Amino acid sequence: MTPKAVYWDMDGTLIDSEPLHEESLVSALRSVGIEPPADLHARVVGQAARPVYEVLRDQFGLALDFDDWIALKYDHYLGRAPDLLPREGAMEIFRDLKARGVVQAIVSNSDRLVVEANLQAVGVHEPTMKTISRNDVRLGKPDPEPYLRAAYLTGIDLADTAVMEDSVTGAMAGVAAGMRTIFWPQDRIDGPAGALVAHSAEEVRALLGLD
């Protein structure tokens, strides 16, 4: 059955922005003389900027303070954000849900300026759509607060809601919020307990009742 509301994670789920996040992370680190390991992105995917910074500081010796670090990374990211594209199959799902009157919101662990830049790049301009960034909550994913904030703003019962996520961190947040959580990872990996796993846009559509 199609839900009354769908809350989308942004990076990697609705928008194919994870490669740019990785590129920006690597570029910023190299600019301060740190060579990142090949699996760094896999270690931090889905996490908010502050926890990622703490990993870089504690494990790799990043000497910058947080504000200087994030300005360095975002300088690279925002310069390339206009070229971002939606994830394959995601925008079609988004539009089909909209056509059925499903309320949709963006729930991201990224900061507000990244959320706005990404949505601008892919042409998501919904004047009444709610967007929740890391700046809008006390605790980011995997805490359920971001998704509970979306539920509060839309006024739709948790039982009538679906969450779309591509990271384990995000899917854990959706499950913890008590929402039907569809885990649609970029790679074929297992999802957290309680999440419904989809490995294609077609499987996502079936789980959302669109086919």
Side-chain angles (χ1 to χ4, degrees):
M1 188 171 83
T2 303
K4 293 180 180 179
V6 173
Y7 304 148
W8 289 85
D9 170 62
M10 183 183 64
D11 294 301
T13 306
L14 183 63
I15 301 173
D16 189 20
S17 52
E18 291 295 357
L20 180 55
H21 277 289
E22 180 176 13
E23 176 188 316
S24 301
L25 186 64
V26 169
S27 175
L29 284 173
R30 286 177 174 164
S31 73
V32 295
I34 297 175
E35 183 62 31
D39 67 342
L40 178 59
H41 185 68
R43 295 192 208 178
V44 301
V45 64
Q47 296 186 43
R50 177 74 67 170
V52 172
Y53 165 76
E54 291 170 356
V55 168
L56 300 176
R57 181 195 62 199
D58 298 342
Q59 298 184 20
F60 300 98
L62 180 64
L64 297 177
D65 64 25
F66 177 75
D67 288 347
D68 289 340
W69 159 253
I70 208 63
L72 185 64
K73 185 193 173 202
Y74 284 172
D75 182 62
H76 184 100
Y77 186 95
L78 294 173
R80 291 157 179 78
D83 297 325
L84 289 171
L85 297 172
R87 182 176 180 181
E88 185 175 354
M91 198 57 67
E92 291 79 6
I93 295 170
F94 184 92
R95 291 175 182 145
D96 286 349
L97 290 168
K98 180 182 177 183
R100 295 194 183 198
V102 176
V103 173
Q104 297 180 87
I106 303 298
V107 181
S108 178
N109 250 5
S110 285
D111 289 329
R112 169 61 55 188
L113 80 170
V114 172
V115 171
E116 298 298 340
N118 284 11
L119 296 181
Q120 179 79 19
V122 299
V124 175
H125 301 293
E126 306 289 337
T128 61
M129 186 175 68
K130 311 303 182 187
T131 60
I132 292 89
S133 75
R134 180 63 185 87
N135 304 119
D136 302 318
V137 292
R138 295 167 301 169
L139 299 172
K141 308 170 192 176
D143 192 272
E145 183 185 354
Y147 283 113
L148 295 175
R149 175 70 176 167
Y152 170 77
L153 292 175
T154 61
I156 296 176
D157 193 274
L158 304 185
D160 296 321
T161 298
V163 163
M164 290 294 309
E165 277 285 355
D166 76 308
S167 73
V168 172
T169 299
M172 289 172 63
V175 171
M179 301 175 183
R180 177 158 50 120
T181 300
I182 299 173
F183 180 57
W184 185 22
Q186 297 278 355
D187 300 314
R188 296 187 72 87
I189 59 175
D190 295 330
L196 304 171
V197 180
H199 289 302
S200 68
E202 291 73 22
E203 291 180 4
V204 171
R205 296 180 67 87
L207 290 171
L208 290 172
L210 290 176
D211 292 330

